[in-house]
Amino acid sequence: MDQTDNLRRLKSIEGHIRGIQRMLEEDQYCIDVIAQIQAVQAALNKVSAKILDRHLNSCVMTAIQGEDAHARQKVLEEIVSVFEAATKS
Amino acid sequence: MDQTDNLRRLKSIEGHIRGIQRMLEEDQYCIDVIAQIQAVQAALNKVSAKILDRHLNSCVMTAIQGEDAHARQKVLEEIVSVFEAATKS
Amino acid sequence: MDQTDNLRRLKSIEGHIRGIQRMLEEDQYCIDVIAQIQAVQAALNKVSAKILDRHLNSCVMTAIQGEDAHARQKVLEEIVSVFEAATKS
Amino acid sequence: MDQTDNLRRLKSIEGHIRGIQRMLEEDQYCIDVIAQIQAVQAALNKVSAKILDRHLNSCVMTAIQGEDAHARQKVLEEIVSVFEAATKS
């Protein structure tokens, strides 16, 4: 259900990217093209946050409440990795 | 010529985004989906940098060497704006 | 113990920022100053990731394993918020 | 003159970082500490943008209006590099 929303968002981002291709083909002003790329990035950030939210409330919750210490450790490390990649530290 | 490269990059990004949609449809692991979104973002950053490079070497160069002080000011302000948006300050 | 490391990192970042102040006072090349600011930002990202790691393995673990559904929800929402702020979506 | 502003901003950021050290020493809530680190990052982005603005209106302007093609190329490449580092592509 939540993924339906995310799919819809990704379809819209796909259309946005085709729009940017047209901007390049029509040789539109570079700064306007970059602004549209930055808008796509913001939309992608939103999708990532939604997917993370869903992940925390399902897999992470289950793993932490479970008895497998390794699985627990793995889901927590993955969150740190995703955060590090987001800030590209 | 340079834009052909950027168009090719955007076509590839469009395909990448369709791939992420399939990942959602197949209910693949959230963290893997987020990693693919972050890969798309890195690819978009590369396109932005290429377009900025092209812009600096054409419009910005022309404006700064030209005699219109307003046009000069405008291109410089746009670069600061694009940089601010990139760092989202 | 882990916080000792983070404190040490923040002391070092504080020194780095004083170094950047000296660069401005000595009127050093702008691009070099910006590069040093970006180095400080990378170091801050590292500290954030370390603190998040610690947080996940203490407060978040405790809350999720506890019986207070509200506390559980709160810690998960905070992680999404921190991730959104990191990507500034 | 403009650098006086930037120095003042960096002094304030230095104080902010000392404040974050105190938060760690007092064992304050991790998420609040991360939020303060993110506030410092936003402040650093602002300083970077101000320094870039100054740089564009001085060194870059001079180089592009000058006759040294190498110097011209160098300042433009530096701007792309700074932008790439900002987006960490």
Side-chain angles (χ1 to χ4, degrees):
Chain A
M1 200 171 336
D2 199 47
Q3 294 299 49
T4 310
D5 261 17
N6 287 329
L7 261 173
R8 195 178 39 70
R9 281 190 190 91
L10 283 169
K11 289 261 174 227
S12 149
I13 288 168
E14 188 193 331
H16 204 153
I17 290 197
R18 272 198 298 273
I20 297 172
Q21 291 168 22
R22 273 192 301 279
M23 290 179 83
L24 287 193
E25 282 162 352
E26 295 165 3
D27 208 19
Q28 288 191 31
Y29 191 55
C30 294
I31 294 293
D32 295 339
V33 177
I34 294 174
Q36 289 310 311
I37 292 177
Q38 291 175 332
V40 166
Q41 305 252 27
L44 286 170
N45 285 337
K46 197 161 217 158
V47 178
S48 284
K50 293 281 178 193
I51 293 175
L52 180 64
D53 192 2
R54 182 188 161 90
H55 178 63
L56 289 167
N57 283 285
S58 53
C59 304
V60 175
M61 192 85 97
T62 309
I64 292 182
Q65 291 176 339
E67 298 192 345
D68 180 347
H70 269 96
R72 236 166 20 221
Q73 210 41 50
K74 182 171 167 285
V75 293
L76 297 184
E77 278 168 13
E78 284 170 348
I79 293 167
V80 176
S81 296
V82 151
F83 179 77
E84 284 186 315
T87 58
K88 280 130 210 151
S89 65
Chain B
M1 198 171 338
D2 199 48
Q3 293 299 50
T4 310
D5 261 16
N6 286 330
L7 261 173
R8 194 177 40 71
R9 281 189 191 92
L10 284 168
K11 288 262 175 227
S12 149
I13 288 167
E14 187 193 332
H16 204 153
I17 290 196
R18 272 197 298 273
I20 297 171
Q21 292 168 20
R22 273 192 300 279
M23 290 178 82
L24 287 193
E25 283 162 352
E26 296 166 2
D27 208 21
Q28 288 191 29
Y29 192 54
C30 295
I31 295 293
D32 296 339
V33 177
I34 294 175
Q36 289 310 310
I37 293 177
Q38 291 175 333
V40 165
Q41 303 230 358
L44 286 169
N45 285 336
K46 195 159 218 160
V47 177
S48 284
K50 294 282 177 192
I51 294 174
L52 180 64
D53 192 4
R54 184 186 158 92
H55 179 61
L56 289 166
N57 284 285
S58 52
C59 306
V60 175
M61 192 85 98
T62 309
I64 292 182
Q65 291 175 339
E67 298 193 345
D68 181 346
H70 269 96
R72 232 160 31 213
Q73 209 43 48
K74 182 170 167 287
V75 293
L76 296 184
E77 279 168 13
E78 284 171 347
I79 292 167
V80 176
S81 297
V82 151
F83 178 78
E84 283 186 314
T87 59
K88 279 130 209 152
S89 66
Chain C
M1 200 172 335
D2 199 48
Q3 294 298 49
T4 310
D5 262 17
N6 287 329
L7 260 173
R8 194 177 40 72
R9 281 191 190 90
L10 284 169
K11 288 262 175 229
S12 150
I13 288 167
E14 186 193 332
H16 204 153
I17 290 194
R18 271 198 300 273
I20 297 172
Q21 292 168 22
R22 271 193 302 278
M23 290 178 83
L24 287 193
E25 284 162 352
E26 296 165 2
D27 208 19
Q28 288 190 31
Y29 192 54
C30 294
I31 294 293
D32 296 340
V33 177
I34 293 174
Q36 289 310 310
I37 292 177
Q38 291 175 333
V40 164
Q41 298 202 319
L44 285 169
N45 285 337
K46 195 161 217 159
V47 177
S48 284
K50 294 281 177 193
I51 293 174
L52 180 64
D53 192 5
R54 183 189 160 89
H55 179 62
L56 289 167
N57 283 285
S58 54
C59 305
V60 175
M61 191 85 98
T62 309
I64 291 182
Q65 292 176 338
E67 299 193 344
D68 181 346
H70 269 95
R72 236 165 21 219
Q73 211 41 50
K74 183 171 167 285
V75 292
L76 296 185
E77 279 168 12
E78 283 171 349
I79 291 167
V80 176
S81 296
V82 150
F83 178 77
E84 284 186 314
T87 58
K88 277 128 211 153
S89 66
Chain D
M1 198 172 339
D2 198 48
Q3 293 299 48
T4 311
D5 262 16
N6 287 329
L7 260 174
R8 193 177 40 71
R9 281 189 191 93
L10 283 168
K11 288 261 174 229
S12 151
I13 288 167
E14 186 193 332
H16 204 154
I17 290 198
R18 271 198 299 273
I20 297 172
Q21 292 167 20
R22 271 192 303 279
M23 290 178 84
L24 287 192
E25 284 162 352
E26 295 165 2
D27 208 20
Q28 288 191 30
Y29 191 54
C30 295
I31 294 293
D32 295 340
V33 177
I34 294 174
Q36 289 310 311
I37 292 177
Q38 291 176 333
V40 165
Q41 303 257 24
L44 285 169
N45 285 335
K46 196 161 218 160
V47 177
S48 285
K50 293 281 177 193
I51 293 174
L52 180 64
D53 192 4
R54 183 188 160 91
H55 179 61
L56 289 166
N57 284 285
S58 52
C59 305
V60 175
M61 192 84 99
T62 309
I64 291 182
Q65 291 175 338
E67 299 193 343
D68 181 345
H70 268 96
R72 231 159 32 212
Q73 209 43 48
K74 181 170 168 286
V75 294
L76 296 184
E77 278 168 12
E78 283 170 347
I79 291 167
V80 176
S81 296
V82 151
F83 179 77
E84 284 186 315
T87 58
K88 278 132 210 147
S89 65

